[in-house]
Amino acid sequence: SQTIHQWPATLVQPVGSPLSLECTVEGTSNPNLYWYRQAAGRGLQLLFYSVGIGQISSEVPQNLSASRPQDRQFILSSKKLLLSDSGFYLCAWRRWTGTGNTIYFGEGSWLTVV
Amino acid sequence: GESVGLHLPTLSVQEGDNSIINCAYSNSASDYFIWYKQESGKGPQFIIDIRSNMDKRQGQRVTVLLNKTVKHLSLQIAATQPGDSAVYFCAENTGNQFYFGTGTSLTVIP
């Protein structure tokens, strides 16, 4: 079956520390992958998307970066976290629903920068 | 980026009544639209989708209506249940990118 996983589920990091969130998908190959951020009480902001290994598109300039070292692995990183990086981070992948290619989300990672 | 908005940030309905959640989009080139449900602390869940060449699609207790003339999308939930309480997002798709509205929080009153 096709599934998506991301970890860790929650983390508390001090300002200035590095970050690594990992996302993997199973049961498919060459998926389009996405990283979104959701601040408390806000909508979903697209951060990065990737159509293949090593191919990353960035939506907004920020303190974050993304990498896709393997076909089904997508990593979100930061060298030095800011307080404003706190939020709910969601990995997603694109799948055919029968009507269109929509995106399905992972369980999310709660990041609190202190 | 794209602009996708919702008319109301919160909606309260009585259990058993029908709910209607509205969404406006700005990009006439968008050809695919999706509704998601997000429960507290979880990732958004796909509910139903519709292509721009359709006006209406029905699922189980949900109906999505698309009015391309006024760039308006709505989600109708029939016989709303307590388990329907959540934040609902609409999203529009253009190419590889999906853009989301800010969400409507639906509260079902028992």
Side-chain angles (χ1 to χ4, degrees), chain A residues 32 34 36 38 41-44 46 49 51 59 88 90 94 96-97 99-108 110, chain B residues 1 32 34 36 38 40-46 49-51 54 57 89 93 95-103:
Chain A
N32 281 11
Y34 301 78
Y36 282 84
Q38 186 175 35
R42 302 286 297 275
L44 292 150
L46 177 62
Y49 71 93
V51 299
E59 276 294 290
F88 191 40
L90 290 152
R94 202 164 180 183
W96 177 253
T97 68
T99 299
N101 275 309
T102 196
I103 55 173
Y104 288 81
F105 290 90
E107 306 93 337
W110 285 99
Chain B
Y32 179 53
I34 312 103
Y36 290 87
Q38 186 177 25
S40 182
K42 298 183 179 179
Q45 241 183 322
F46 169 84
D49 53 357
I50 189 167
R51 299 209 68 87
M54 306 163 79
R57 261 200 94 213
F89 292 95
N93 169 230
N96 284 319
Q97 300 180 14
F98 293 78
Y99 296 96
F100 288 77
T102 50

Side-chain angles (χ1 to χ4, degrees), chain A residues 43-65:
Chain A
L44 292 150
Q45 179 187 32
L46 177 62
L47 301 175
F48 302 95
Y49 71 93
S50 172
V51 299
I53 296 174
Q55 300 178 66
I56 310 293
S57 296
S58 175
E59 276 294 290
V60 294
Q62 59 213 327
N63 187 39
L64 303 168
S65 62

